[in-house]
Amino acid sequence: MRIFKKAASLALALAVFFSFSQNVSFADGESKPVKAFMVNSLNNLDFPSQSNLSLRAINNEIEDILSFAKANDFNSVILEVRPDDGCLYKSDVYPTSDFWLKEKGKFSFYDLSKDFIKKAKKEGIDVYALINLGFPDFLAEYPQEEIDKNLEDLASLKERYNFSGVVLKNIPAVKDMDYAKFLEDFKGALGDLPLGVLYFPSKYLEADGDIILQNSDFIIPVLEDELTFRDNDGYIAVLKEMQSKNPNVIPFSDFKGVEGVSPKLSSKHYAAVKNGFDSFVFDNYTALRDNSNMQFALVSTVNGMKEPMDKLNIGYNPVKQFGITRPIKPISTPYSTYFIMGTSDPGTPIYFNGQQVERYSEDGLFGVKVNLSLGSNSFTFSQGQVTKTVNITRTSPSDEKAGLINKITKAFPADNAIFKNNQEETISCIAPAGGQVYAIVDGKTVALEQSASAQKGVPALYKGSVTLNGVTSEEVRSLGNITYYLTFDGAATSYTSKGKLYLKGDNARAKIKTKLIFANVLTPDLKFGDFKAIYKEGTTEETVGMTFANNDWYYELRSGGFIKASDVEVIESEKNDKELKFSEISFESEKNKEIIRLKGISGIPYCFIEQEDKTTNLELYGSFSDSSAAEMESYLSSMESQLYSKITASKTEDKIVMTFVPGKEIWGLDIVYDGNDTLILSRTKPEFTDDAKNPLGNLTIVIDPGHGGIDSGALGVLGTDGPMEKNLNLLSAQVLRKRLELLGANVVLTRENDDENPSLLERANAAYVNDADIFISLHHNSIAEAADGNKFHGVEAYYYEDFGKKLAQLVPTKISQNTSQRDYRKTEQAYYVVTKMRCAPAILNEIGFVPSPFEYERICSPDEIFKTSEAIAAAILEFMQ
């Protein structure tokens, strides 16, 4: 049986661990987990960094290596003391290495390896000798003379040096070689010193893998990457089989040549930790020290995930018995197709109307898309001796009769509205056809007429005209609600409008204030999604009229946009403030943020306009005083910003335009209201900390688990008897929080349990309340009941502001790469509430499709949930580079 996968090279892209089990003997006779990294001398990769260094320089490099080991909790170093046919130690057989003394064979009184071991032992660090026996070329034979030289040299090495063990690298690959005797001779030369093999499976070595396993004290196999959605398969299965022949198995790979931040290696590390492998090694020191790809940060903290993952209760327990989970009873639907789902014994075939059903789930979950004819439909499924029948009735739109009403169901204004003094205006309501309707408006009685003939009792529109007066020229006054009265079929009922009516004088500045955390301001074409601006709660602006579009009333704003009436409240005013003045302008700088504070003015209406050259124009609307505009222009020209190369301001009749020219990558540029002040907040990419194990120590990340409470989100194949979207969102968020906390981040969840369901605006506002550097909303995808769930699987992400675009590309890409058969579907700009903040990069991520039998079992896998968290953490690390 083949148990090794052929490795491409030592420069495998990804970080790793390796595991000595508890019976590995150390020089001091103690058995303990080993946490090690390799120090390679070939081509002066790690140490010495160049040939012919001074004694002081060599000592400095040794101290740096050992300091790195101590700081990062390593207790062992594997030092390459013979990189080729030269040594970094005193040998009677081989010459000194030219990587040490520049000239091969040159003599030195200084003993580099002895000094390295002495300093390491003083720090409590064990040193293993890495011996390169040659090159892994296929040879006709390996000369006995060369074997004898090695045996003599290793015997001498054991006597002269206090190494904790010896690792053989590049055992010669020779056909028909007696590897048992080869290793027996080497172990004899080393006595009780542990002998390990850095193992590259090759044409000949692979055939003799069992012999090498059984004749080594420990073995370090170089494995290709292989991930499954259950980590007791594939990669771990290989390790366990190897361990059955040698308890001291050390999987190996290195950091060299890795592009970007890949989470695969830390996921493999977690799989090993979970399965009892408690030791590790990384290769190589320089890559670890420089940490340019942040691989070390991911892998070095993965041990901390074992406890929370062990406690993870997902609630996924497919019975593996035949049953239909959707629909659970006869149903009616207008759809022409329907996706039936169920459970089964995965080892026994299922039949649908006599045809075998193809299943894509290893747990026996299945789904079948059926076509529906008008009227009754019956479908038969069977497994073994059990038969299940599904009954679905397809209805026609003509079967749906118009609902009859006997009272008023809706009336103007549904939200607050403004009428002009002495101008004819229209009021309306929805009431049953054939009734009599009138309204009382500011003490006036207004008769309403049915707009069109209709069957009695059918909902109909009633309209009436009214002219109101009684306010001063500069006054905006509330007239209260409108009460409507209906007489129908001899019964009298009334209805009070939900919104209030306001009356505006001829010269009054009718103002509205946004009452939502985010309020959409549409462009004049009133096409939803085509936003002119996103106003924050408290933004105040003058209106110039109202219009009806998209089945809603909108206020037309003086700045040129349109805002939904339901998103604002009307400000009653008797004073006509024409000039805007701020008492002072100031500048604040902290961490990765800068704030321009306009004191004395809050709620300024605004619009951000991104330019192709990465500059941003911020338009502040209002009749600013000349003194305020001049003060701003003067202040900005002298302000010392670390984020922008230049900030300018210019004034027109009704606005100030500020232009921000970035000098660094900008992560957020936003308006925030603080009491009576308006703050212009800018944010740039936070810096990594100096602690390689906690690189995200400067970040606050808000994670939003979608849905919650009575909002279950999408239902999976198991329906309410298994994890629903809200459960999976929260579990994924909790695992991701722990993962990011181990990397040093401050993490806040928008909900902590499945009973909570914050509003969308409350979720988005958490980014502002917690001063977030990143906001991630976690969801799982749904599909219509008519869609074929077998054809849906994959990961998506959405962003609105450009700040989040790169993160929205990285997250689904990393998840797809690190998990099992989950495609990267797309990254798109979309106007979800939780992506519309400008204070920091914000994305919404769809992790997988819950109604897909294939994907449901994967996204319910603890291993996959961990790998997803690894992928998101890796995406954040790469996003910050």
Side-chain angles (χ1 to χ4, degrees):
M1 175 181 176
R2 181 179 178 182
I3 61 172
F4 299 108
K5 299 197 72 179
K6 188 174 180 180
S9 71
L10 261 180
L12 265 177
L14 296 171
V16 91
F17 60 95
F18 66 60
S19 175
F20 288 93
S21 62
Q22 299 295 327
N23 61 349
V24 172
S25 295
F26 290 77
D28 57 8
E30 183 184 357
S31 293
K32 60 186 177 183
V34 174
K35 301 179 180 181
F37 59 83
M38 288 190 176
V39 177
N40 298 319
S41 56
L42 183 66
N43 298 320
N44 298 111
L45 177 62
D46 294 320
F47 169 77
S49 62
Q50 63 186 58
S51 300
N52 212 30
L53 286 175
S54 68
L55 182 59
R56 173 175 290 184
I58 287 176
N59 275 305
N60 287 342
E61 291 192 355
I62 293 174
E63 289 175 4
D64 288 343
I65 292 169
L66 298 177
S67 294
F68 177 83
K70 291 286 285 185
N72 293 286
D73 302 322
F74 289 100
N75 60 21
S76 302
V77 169
I78 300 177
L79 176 63
E80 188 175 34
V81 294
R82 197 202 299 168
D84 49 11
D85 59 347
C87 304
L88 271 63
Y89 57 90
K90 302 285 187 178
S91 172
D92 297 331
V93 179
Y94 293 96
T96 53
S97 171
D98 52 356
F99 299 125
W100 171 20
L101 294 177
K102 195 170 186 179
E103 296 177 16
K104 189 166 289 186
K106 187 176 179 181
F107 177 76
S108 173
F109 285 105
Y110 174 66
D111 194 325
L112 185 149
S113 289
K114 186 168 287 187
D115 192 31
F116 195 108
I117 295 169
K118 179 181 177 181
K119 288 182 167 62
K121 295 292 184 181
K122 186 177 180 180
E123 298 294 335
I125 297 171
D126 293 304
V127 182
Y128 289 80
L130 181 62
I131 303 292
N132 190 344
L133 295 179
F135 301 96
D137 298 327
F138 302 141
L139 307 174
E141 61 179 355
Y142 192 70
Q144 184 63 41
E145 177 185 352
E146 189 63 32
I147 294 177
D148 292 341
K149 286 174 61 179
N150 273 292
L151 295 176
E152 180 184 349
D153 183 58
L154 290 179
S156 174
L157 183 78
K158 178 192 182 309
E159 295 301 322
R160 293 180 179 177
Y161 297 95
N162 189 22
F163 283 111
S164 298
V166 172
V167 180
L168 301 181
K169 174 183 177 182
N170 290 336
I171 290 180
V174 180
K175 187 177 182 180
D176 299 327
M177 185 169 178
D178 187 347
Y179 287 106
K181 184 177 186 310
F182 178 86
L183 291 172
E184 182 182 348
D185 290 343
F186 273 77
K187 289 177 71 173
L190 291 173
D192 59 357
L193 198 61
L195 174 66
V197 176
L198 181 61
Y199 182 78
F200 291 81
S202 65
K203 180 178 179 181
Y204 303 131
L205 287 180
E206 188 169 341
D208 293 292
D210 286 358
I211 295 174
I212 294 175
L213 275 169
Q214 293 163 0
N215 288 275
S216 306
D217 293 312
F218 58 92
I219 186 165
I220 309 174
V222 181
L223 299 175
E224 290 179 344
D225 299 301
E226 181 183 7
L227 292 171
T228 65
F229 80 97
R230 291 187 175 99
D231 272 334
N232 57 342
D233 300 331
Y235 166 73
I236 282 296
V238 171
L239 295 187
K240 285 183 174 179
E241 186 163 353
M242 294 174 71
Q243 195 179 52
S244 70
K245 293 158 185 165
N246 185 327
N248 303 313
V249 176
I250 309 166
F252 170 91
S253 106
D254 68 33
F255 290 92
K256 298 189 297 294
V258 178
E259 295 182 4
V261 181
S262 173
K264 282 190 176 182
L265 198 116
S266 49
S267 294
K268 289 170 65 176
H269 190 175
Y270 165 71
V273 168
K274 185 185 72 170
N275 282 275
F277 293 87
D278 55 1
S279 300
F280 59 84
V281 80
F282 301 132
D283 188 55
N284 59 308
Y285 161 68
T286 301
L288 289 172
R289 180 198 64 199
D290 295 344
N291 205 21
S292 59
N293 290 312
M294 307 305 292
Q295 304 289 3
F296 177 50
L298 277 176
V299 183
S300 65
T301 59
V302 78
N303 287 22
M305 291 300 295
K306 186 176 187 304
E307 182 179 357
M309 292 303 298
D310 286 346
K311 295 178 180 178
L312 191 65
N313 183 12
I314 296 173
Y316 173 73
N317 186 30
V319 293
K320 298 188 180 181
Q321 294 179 352
F322 180 48
I324 302 298
T325 59
R326 189 180 83 176
I328 58 175
K329 61 182 180 179
I331 61 167
S332 297
T333 177
Y335 294 140
S336 61
T337 59
Y338 193 86
F339 189 64
I340 299 171
M341 298 190 295
T343 60
S344 69
D345 176 356
T348 306
I350 301 177
Y351 294 92
F352 160 57
N353 287 354
Q355 299 293 316
Q356 186 170 341
V357 174
E358 185 175 4
R359 285 168 291 180
Y360 304 94
S361 158
E362 296 182 16
D363 292 332
L365 307 179
F366 72 92
V368 175
K369 180 184 176 183
V370 297
N371 295 316
L372 301 178
S373 301
L374 285 173
S376 298
N377 296 264
S378 182
F379 305 99
T380 301
F381 293 82
S382 64
Q383 185 174 46
Q385 302 301 312
V386 182
T387 298
K388 301 285 184 181
T389 301
V390 176
N391 295 307
I392 303 176
T393 300
R394 179 184 170 191
T395 60
S396 168
S398 61
D399 296 336
E400 303 295 329
K401 295 182 179 179
L404 302 180
I405 59 175
N406 61 5
K407 60 183 178 181
I408 297 172
T409 59
K410 188 176 181 180
F412 174 88
D415 304 295
N416 298 328
I418 302 174
F419 280 177
K420 293 181 181 179
N421 195 48
N422 290 317
Q423 180 169 310
E424 186 177 75
E425 305 277 8
T426 299
I427 62 174
S428 63
C429 72
I430 301 295
Q436 293 180 322
V437 180
Y438 70 94
I440 304 296
V441 186
D442 194 30
K444 292 186 177 182
T445 301
V446 181
L448 279 72
E449 300 292 332
Q450 185 175 322
S451 295
S453 61
Q455 176 188 344
K456 184 178 179 180
V458 170
L461 176 67
Y462 288 76
K463 298 169 65 175
S465 298
V466 63
T467 300
L468 301 173
N469 51 40
V471 295
T472 64
S473 175
E474 295 187 350
E475 182 184 5
V476 176
R477 177 163 57 86
S478 172
L479 304 181
N481 306 92
I482 301 176
T483 302
Y484 294 80
Y485 297 89
L486 166 69
T487 301
F488 180 71
D489 270 351
T493 57
S494 63
Y495 181 96
T496 301
S497 66
K498 293 181 179 179
K500 290 182 179 180
L501 182 64
Y502 291 80
L503 190 60
K504 167 187 175 300
D506 296 340
N507 297 320
R509 295 166 63 91
K511 295 180 181 179
I512 52 88
K513 177 185 288 188
T514 55
K515 59 184 181 182
L516 302 182
I517 295 170
F518 296 129
N520 303 317
V521 179
L522 304 186
T523 55
D525 62 6
L526 287 166
K527 180 181 177 182
F528 189 77
D530 188 5
F531 302 136
K532 181 177 185 292
I534 307 292
Y535 279 177
K536 304 288 281 299
E537 180 181 11
T539 303
T540 304
E541 187 168 0
E542 183 179 350
T543 69
V544 295
M546 292 191 74
T547 189
F548 189 78
N550 306 323
N551 293 316
D552 265 306
W553 283 95
Y554 288 80
Y555 287 110
E556 182 179 358
L557 304 175
R558 181 163 293 280
S559 62
F562 289 79
I563 194 166
K564 192 182 292 187
S566 58
D567 293 350
V568 302
E569 58 187 20
V570 177
I571 298 175
E572 294 185 62
S573 173
E574 295 183 356
K575 185 177 181 181
N576 192 345
D577 294 324
K578 292 186 177 180
E579 280 197 333
L580 293 176
K581 301 177 182 178
F582 47 83
S583 59
E584 183 183 344
I585 183 170
S586 64
F587 175 71
E588 305 164 24
S589 178
E590 57 181 73
K591 202 170 69 169
N592 60 318
K593 292 189 306 181
E594 292 184 351
I595 297 171
I596 299 173
R597 182 182 292 268
L598 307 180
K599 296 185 178 181
I601 294 182
S602 183
I604 300 174
Y606 57 87
C607 177
F608 288 97
I609 304 173
E610 310 293 343
Q611 308 295 315
E612 290 186 3
D613 62 354
K614 304 297 184 183
T615 64
T616 301
N617 287 342
L618 169 56
E619 297 182 350
L620 301 175
Y621 297 107
S623 300
F624 286 91
S625 67
D626 290 339
S627 60
S628 289
E631 181 182 351
M632 178 181 287
E633 292 176 27
S634 174
Y635 189 90
L636 294 178
S637 64
S638 61
M639 192 178 77
E640 294 185 2
S641 170
Q642 300 300 312
L643 307 188
Y644 298 99
S645 59
K646 183 170 63 174
I647 306 175
T648 61
S650 59
K651 179 181 179 295
T652 64
E653 183 176 343
D654 60 350
K655 65 184 175 184
I656 288 178
V657 180
M658 302 176 68
T659 299
F660 296 81
V661 182
K664 292 184 177 181
E665 181 181 359
I666 302 301
W667 272 34
L669 175 56
D670 201 5
I671 289 282
V672 177
Y673 304 130
D674 181 21
N676 292 323
D677 301 342
T678 292
L679 279 57
I680 302 167
L681 182 151
S682 298
R683 188 187 304 272
T684 191
K685 179 170 64 178
E687 298 290 335
F688 288 121
T689 67
D690 294 332
D691 184 351
K693 294 185 297 182
N694 298 288
L696 302 184
N698 291 328
L699 259 73
T700 293
I701 301 172
V702 171
I703 302 173
D704 170 41
H707 305 281
I710 61 172
D711 178 9
S712 66
L715 295 182
V717 183
L718 301 181
T720 56
D721 292 330
M724 298 173 281
E725 183 190 356
K726 70 172 184 178
N727 311 127
L728 292 168
N729 293 342
L730 181 61
L731 290 169
S732 299
Q734 290 169 335
V735 173
L736 178 57
R737 169 169 62 183
K738 182 62 178 178
R739 193 67 192 93
L740 295 172
E741 286 176 343
L742 287 169
L743 292 170
N746 173 41
V747 183
V748 178
L749 265 57
T750 60
R751 66 179 176 95
E752 292 286 349
N753 58 65
D754 274 328
D755 295 328
E756 296 177 290
N757 184 22
S759 71
L760 292 175
L761 295 172
E762 288 171 331
R763 295 170 191 265
N765 195 46
Y768 292 92
V769 171
N770 295 285
D771 195 22
D773 296 290
I774 290 175
F775 179 97
I776 298 177
S777 186
L778 296 182
H779 286 255
H780 288 74
N781 238 328
S782 62
I783 53 176
E785 292 179 353
D788 188 347
N790 292 320
K791 295 181 178 179
F792 286 84
H793 54 91
V795 195
E796 304 170 356
Y798 300 89
Y799 69 98
Y800 181 71
E801 298 292 349
D802 285 345
F803 311 131
K805 182 176 181 178
K806 182 180 177 183
L807 184 61
Q809 292 169 332
L810 282 170
V811 166
T813 300
K814 296 289 185 185
I815 293 175
S816 178
Q817 291 171 349
N818 198 46
T819 53
S820 300
Q821 298 174 288
R822 267 191 271 170
D823 298 336
Y824 169 34
R825 287 170 57 87
K826 60 184 177 180
T827 293
E828 286 186 355
Q829 187 177 31
Y831 38 77
Y832 293 113
V833 171
V834 291
T835 63
K836 287 193 293 189
M837 75 240 359
R838 291 187 56 94
C839 63
I843 68 169
L844 183 147
N845 187 43
E846 297 279 5
I847 297 173
F849 284 85
V850 174
S852 162
F854 168 83
E855 195 145 274
Y856 184 63
E857 71 173 354
R858 281 162 171 74
I859 56 184
C860 290
S861 158
D863 294 326
E864 289 284 282
I865 291 176
F866 173 80
K867 291 172 189 173
T868 298
S869 75
E870 284 296 279
I872 298 175
I876 291 172
L877 287 172
E878 188 162 325
F879 183 51
M880 286 185 59
Q881 285 186 323

